[in-house]
Structures are given as C-alpha cells and as structure tokens.
Amino acid sequence: MKQAEMTEQQKAILEEICEIAIVGEQQIKQALEESATIDEKWRRKADAKRAAAQKI
C-alpha cells in the first residue's frame, strides 16, 4: 500500500473481515465441542457393549 493510512472504506472492510473471522472461530469451537460430546457418547456406548459382552 502506497498510502501510510487506510481509508475509511478500507477500515470498514477490515472490521467486517475481522467480524467474519471471529464468528467463524466461534462456529469452529462450537463444532469441536459438539464433536467431542458426540465422541464421548459413542465411546460410552461402546464401553457398555464391551462390558455386556464380557459378562456373557
């Protein structure tokens, strides 16, 4: 960039990009938490089935 300072339009665009990045980061964190919850649920089911199979 040749100019030392950003124009108001450039600042607005940069702010919008930052907001999009923050929302995206939050969505990724939420998806990871949901994935971990689902993983734990399936792990518990598998453990229960293994335990039931060992009793037979």
Side-chain angles (χ1 to χ4, degrees):
M1 185 185 303
K2 292 182 181 181
Q3 295 177 337
E5 293 185 21
M6 291 191 282
T7 65
E8 290 302 316
Q9 182 182 13
Q10 290 170 324
K11 288 178 183 179
I13 291 170
L14 184 58
E15 286 178 17
E16 189 174 339
I17 291 171
C18 286
E19 287 177 23
I20 291 169
I22 290 168
V23 169
E25 183 181 22
Q26 290 170 344
Q27 289 175 341
I28 290 170
K29 285 180 181 179
Q30 181 180 357
L32 288 172
E33 289 172 2
E34 290 172 2
S35 177
T37 301
I38 292 168
D39 184 52
E40 178 67 19
K41 175 183 170 185
W42 283 105
R43 189 181 61 74
R44 286 182 183 168
K45 282 186 177 184
D47 289 347
K49 285 183 179 182
R50 254 185 253 109
Q54 288 178 352
K55 289 182 180 178
I56 295 177

